[in-house]
Amino acid sequence: MEEVNFGKKHSRLVALKKDRQLLAIRGVTGSPLATTLCCEAARQALTDSELLLNVEDADVQVFKLPEHADATHCKAMLRALPDVRFAGSVLVEPHTGDPILYTENLFLKFIDPLTSVQCLKILDALNLEIKQQVPYAKNAFFVHHRDCRGTHVCSLSRQLLERDDVEYCHPEMLRQGQRRAIHHNQWHLKKTIVSYQFEIDASANVEAAHALVQGEGVVIAIIDDAFDIDHPEFAGPTKIIGAQNFDRRNAARGPRPKNALERHGTAAAGVACANGDAGACGVAPRASLMPLKLTKPLGARAEADAFYWAAEQGADIISCSWGPLEGHWADPTDPRHTQVFPLAASTRLAIEYAATKGRSGKGCVIFFGAGNGNESLDNDGYSSHPMVIAVGACNDQSRRSAYSDYGKALWCCFPSGDQQHPDPKYKPATSIPQTRGIRTTDLSGKFADAAHPAFIESFSGTSSACPGAAGVAALILSANPALDRESVRRILAECCDKIGHADDGPLGQYDQDGHSHYYGHGRLNALRAVQIAIKRRQEQVG
């Protein structure tokens, strides 16, 4: 059993165990691992094995060996290959079996009173090589000890954390993430007749808000898998700002997708700020888009770099429709429902930098999708961070979507699709189908789906709700750019409609502060949010 502590401050001890049926392979820098594993010796070692995880940018792959395999022999065969740097067992979460990779880098932050010269002297004395001095926290580095390999990096981090001059220290741990999605009718924007049959009145009242503002002058950064920035709905001289690709190997491609599987970011961006010229309108159609491509596993240092980049390049809002692996929304026995997922210290500090230093000190407004596991988001270090706005999903019946995560950290909800409710006692108010998704942008050009070129009707989950809420924040800042992050957060709470149903039970009820575990402060009402922002501006002038 290996133990990792993420720091003295926000301390969280995570116990991990080795799974000897899982095999991690790391290639030598500059030698593509995929090519190496095509040789005859590698094929023999990995016969009947299943590829579980491929971190292309780091030349790491994880395989599940068949039960009959001799793991020791397989490792020995792979280690003999000249382009294999490491082949060994994989650490997993004890309760869920989810694999956790670790690089041989450590995130290390010294206490603030030390000078930079003192930090460098200590690193030199400890034989730690600097891989990156991070710009979003004082006295913080990613470092490497050339004699430390495998799980020894965990014991080294524990030793360093015992020092009085060290505040945070942990290995760069990579975990599988999950996009917050479940699978001409833009019912989430206005009261409308959909499919020429049903009248839906469960929107965030966005169309009415557009009569006042449409997101002019606001930049929405979306961190996601890829973006079709050539899509007609993202056209215009100031539409795309500060685009960046944080995948080292494919950086030259920019944020564009490299295959048809990378379509999640395009859909999320469309919900937030599609122009509305060709087939789908975003909540803030005149806002600019900062597309930040990030496909690395959770916890990678590039994750923190993306938040820092957004803040430094002028983002007003940051939207993230991703997070830890979740339990199945309809299976109450899934062990992932109770899995606690702590934030890497590097990511925590970068989020806090963006939230406090962004927008010239007014702070970037940061959104995360609450999650789609029908579980408590309070266990999720990303969406429950106090400087993050966690967004849940509600359906076309003005009720919580069956999969949407809940808890005390939930701030608000925004319309999205739904799944059939797992509770047989759940009775929808009408016969309108409960699986209606959101119309938004999809891949165009060479990756377009022949059935739905450039647009999709079924985007769903809190993946869709999150950029929708980010779009409402863009309308607020367009109406009143002087507002700081906390003021926007309060307006988002104040503007909400108190939706719900008598069958929701205690978690659906609103407390004396107007908060519900199922709905946060309720469903966002964009028109009311803009009206409040305008009133605040008039009060400031007066």
Side-chain angles (χ1 to χ4, degrees), residues 52-110:
L52 296 183
L53 186 61
N54 178 26
V55 187
E56 181 181 355
D57 200 43
D59 281 321
V60 176
Q61 292 187 352
V62 175
F63 290 88
K64 183 176 182 179
L65 300 174
E67 293 185 6
H68 58 77
D70 183 339
T72 301
H73 180 63
C74 293
K75 293 174 189 175
M77 292 179 66
L78 291 164
R79 289 168 182 164
L81 298 176
D83 290 335
V84 171
R85 172 177 169 81
F86 172 82
S89 299
V90 175
L91 296 177
V92 299
E93 295 277 5
H95 301 297
T96 64
D98 294 331
I100 297 177
L101 299 181
Y102 49 90
T103 71
E104 289 159 1
N105 296 329
L106 291 170
F107 177 74
L108 175 64
K109 183 187 181 311
F110 293 105

Side-chain angles (χ1 to χ4, degrees), residues 301-453:
R301 59 175 168 163
E303 184 176 82
D305 290 341
F307 285 99
Y308 176 73
W309 174 275
E312 290 297 290
Q313 296 298 314
D316 299 294
I317 295 160
I318 303 173
S319 177
C320 305
S321 294
W322 43 269
L325 290 173
E326 303 157 327
H328 191 283
W329 66 275
D331 179 7
T333 67
D334 193 317
R336 288 200 183 105
H337 288 318
T338 56
Q339 183 68 47
V340 176
F341 196 100
L343 267 180
S346 52
T347 301
R348 175 186 298 279
L349 292 168
I351 287 175
E352 292 171 359
Y353 179 92
T356 57
K357 306 297 184 184
R359 298 181 61 234
S360 301
K362 292 192 289 289
C364 297
V365 188
I366 304 173
F367 293 85
F368 266 86
N372 303 328
N374 187 25
E375 61 197 22
S376 175
L377 67 87
D378 298 325
N379 291 330
D380 175 354
Y382 290 88
S383 56
S384 67
H385 189 287
M387 292 184 179
V388 160
I389 295 172
V391 185
C394 52
N395 64 21
D396 53 13
Q397 295 293 287
S398 297
R399 298 189 65 175
R400 179 181 76 102
S401 297
Y403 52 78
S404 187
D405 286 1
Y406 51 84
K408 62 183 180 182
L410 184 67
W411 194 252
C412 58
C413 59
F414 189 87
S416 187
D418 203 352
Q419 297 285 295
Q420 185 175 347
H421 202 283
D423 183 357
K425 296 180 181 179
Y426 175 83
K427 300 295 183 183
T430 75
S431 59
I432 298 173
Q434 291 295 305
T435 56
R436 192 176 311 285
I438 301 301
R439 178 175 173 83
T440 184
T441 46
D442 198 5
L443 298 185
S444 62
K446 66 179 181 179
F447 293 133
D449 186 325
H452 303 287

